[in-house]
Amino acid sequence: EAQVTQNPRYLITVTGKKLTVTCSQNMNHEYMSWYRQDPGLGLRQIYYSMNVEVTDKGDVPEGYKVSRKEKRNFPLILESPSPNQTSLYFCASSLLLAGDTQYFGPGTRLTVL
Amino acid sequence: AQTVTQSQPEMSVQEAETVTLSCTYDTSENNYYLFWYKQPPSRQMILVIRQEAYKQQNATENRFSVNFQKAAKSFSLKISDSQLGDTAMYFCAFMNNNAGNMLTFGGGTRLMVKP
């Protein structure tokens, strides 16, 4: 089954404790992206990647890191989480074709205390 | 930069009736794509419908259709014969043909379908 998976689905952590949210897709998509969803703001892009070793900032990259060492994986790293990073996070992937539909993972609910 | 505005934070509709969700966007681009995504309580983001800006014909998918007005920069979603399973958050999104595949989302409309 074609899908985007994220782990963990729920995470509660404390300020400053490094964490990684994993994202994996099995559709051989070149393009992968991370979004955060906050009430009233919709989804905002954090980082994206157009292929292995090619990453770039989205609209809200501060406090986040990413890497793309393999085509299927695109982990999101919070080196020193803060309470304002409490949010719902989505990973998405698509082919690198103009206008191609993005497929979203199930979301990760992160709470930083 | 592109912006997407959904002016109705919440809406409700009776089962079997028709409802229209509004979306406007701001861009100086001519080639772009527009999407409606549905987010049910499960939080999964589900594509409802997609429209290419260069196509004048409005996209339809079963009970879902759009009214795409390019000059007015408007992209509303019409849901016909509303069903209880349509209860969800609905997000309008914009993709610029010249900016990779980045999606710019509106703030969402929460739709409640009442029995």
Side-chain angles (χ1 to χ4, degrees):
Chain A
E1 178 188 357
Q3 61 181 354
V4 179
T5 58
Q6 293 178 228
N7 283 292
R9 296 287 310 278
Y10 301 88
L11 180 59
I12 301 175
T13 189
V14 295
T15 298
K17 185 176 181 181
K18 180 179 178 180
L19 67 91
T20 299
V21 183
T22 64
C23 173
S24 183
Q25 49 92 7
N26 63 0
M27 295 170 278
N28 203 34
H29 286 164
E30 298 92 355
Y31 185 91
M32 297 186 75
S33 179
W34 277 102
Y35 295 87
R36 61 177 288 173
Q37 181 181 351
D38 301 290
L41 299 178
L43 281 74
R44 294 176 292 166
Q45 192 180 56
I46 302 170
Y47 268 95
Y48 67 94
S49 169
M50 291 196 175
N51 216 322
V52 175
E53 304 292 0
V54 180
T55 63
D56 207 348
K57 297 177 181 179
D59 286 337
V60 289
E62 295 77 19
Y64 304 94
K65 285 177 56 178
V66 293
S67 68
R68 187 93 180 271
K69 293 183 171 54
E70 302 169 286
K71 195 172 186 179
R72 63 183 290 125
N73 296 325
F74 190 45
L76 179 69
I77 304 156
L78 284 71
E79 294 270 1
S80 183
S82 62
N84 65 12
Q85 292 178 297
T86 292
S87 188
L88 178 59
Y89 291 87
F90 286 97
C91 180
S93 74
S94 71
L95 293 170
L96 196 57
L97 298 173
D100 195 55
T101 298
Q102 290 193 23
Y103 295 88
F104 284 80
T108 296
R109 169 70 70 187
L110 172 65
T111 301
V112 183
L113 302 175
Chain B
Q2 287 76 33
T3 59
V4 178
T5 302
Q6 295 178 246
S7 58
Q8 306 148 315
E10 293 185 0
M11 295 189 71
S12 64
V13 63
Q14 291 296 130
E15 194 175 7
E17 294 189 347
T18 296
V19 64
T20 299
L21 280 56
S22 300
C23 173
T24 58
Y25 57 94
D26 186 24
T27 184
S28 57
E29 301 292 332
N30 193 49
N31 294 322
Y32 51 87
Y33 302 83
L34 295 161
F35 304 82
W36 278 98
Y37 278 90
K38 169 185 177 181
Q39 187 180 47
S42 66
R43 303 186 327 211
Q44 182 69 47
M45 294 289 288
I46 302 165
L47 177 69
V48 175
I49 204 161
R50 174 181 179 272
Q51 174 83 41
E52 294 102 331
Y54 61 85
K55 287 188 177 180
Q56 292 187 345
Q57 186 174 6
N58 289 325
T60 63
E61 284 289 343
N62 301 313
R63 298 183 294 107
F64 298 88
S65 61
V66 298
N67 183 5
F68 174 47
Q69 302 287 332
K70 191 172 184 179
K73 298 179 183 175
S74 170
F75 184 60
S76 61
L77 176 69
K78 185 171 83 170
I79 306 174
S80 304
D81 186 25
S82 297
Q83 300 176 359
L84 296 178
D86 295 333
T87 292
M89 280 288 286
Y90 287 82
F91 292 98
C92 178
F94 173 99
M95 182 186 289
N96 182 351
N97 195 37
N98 298 320
N101 283 15
M102 175 176 158
L103 284 168
T104 301
F105 285 86
T109 296
R110 185 175 302 278
L111 176 68
M112 171 76 71
V113 180
K114 298 179 178 179

